[in-house]
Amino acid sequence: MRDPAAKGLGALLGDSVRHAADLVGGEFELLRRETDGNIRAILGLVAAFGTASLLVLAALMLFVVFLVKGLGALLGSEVAGALVVGGPFAVAALVLLVLGMRRMSRENLAPRRFERQVARDARMATRPRD
């Protein structure tokens, strides 16, 4: 015959395991809900930021068209106005292109910090111990 105290202990252990599993399950459900809410909020912010960016870009394009038309009226030729307005944009685009190409060179993309850290770790590992 089984000892009543052992049966009580087994029931207590079973209950504690079941409650712990319920607690872990509840924690994971809370994590899932919180993560879902955060993802929805981030997607909403990305949509708002994207819309604002498009509106700013459209406003800038209208401003550039206004400048070209205005300078064209002052200079007597829209071609001259387009050259005056578009010239700095072309120069800026060329400078950014050159800087980007330099930045993307193979030497600049090498993982220098990683290489230094591995060399430092190798020196520490092979250093004679006192």
Side-chain angles (χ1 to χ4, degrees):
M1 182 160 202
R2 297 180 86 185
D3 185 14
K7 183 178 179 188
L9 182 61
L12 284 176
L13 284 175
D15 285 345
S16 65
V17 168
R18 187 172 50 257
H19 289 303
D22 290 344
L23 178 64
V24 169
E27 294 291 335
F28 278 122
E29 179 64 21
L30 176 63
L31 175 67
R32 186 189 63 78
R33 286 184 183 191
E34 187 175 7
T35 304
D36 286 348
N38 289 342
I39 289 172
R40 282 192 194 103
I42 289 171
L43 289 176
L45 289 173
V46 166
F49 183 74
T51 303
S53 299
L54 287 175
L55 291 174
V56 166
L57 184 62
L60 287 175
M61 291 302 298
L62 287 173
F63 182 68
V64 168
V65 168
F66 166 76
L67 284 177
V68 168
K69 296 285 187 180
L71 281 175
L74 288 176
L75 298 175
S77 170
E78 281 195 26
V79 173
L83 287 174
V84 170
V85 172
F89 283 102
V91 169
L94 184 63
V95 167
L96 290 174
L97 177 70
V98 169
L99 290 175
M101 293 301 285
R102 284 186 186 169
R103 177 89 172 139
M104 287 177 33
S105 71
R106 192 176 284 262
E107 293 82 26
N108 288 336
L109 293 178
R112 301 286 183 216
R113 291 189 323 204
F114 172 76
E115 291 172 353
R116 286 193 302 265
Q117 185 63 42
V118 167
R120 189 177 309 134
D121 292 346
R123 281 193 306 273
M124 259 174 53
T126 58
R127 185 176 60 190
R129 302 199 186 262
D130 293 329

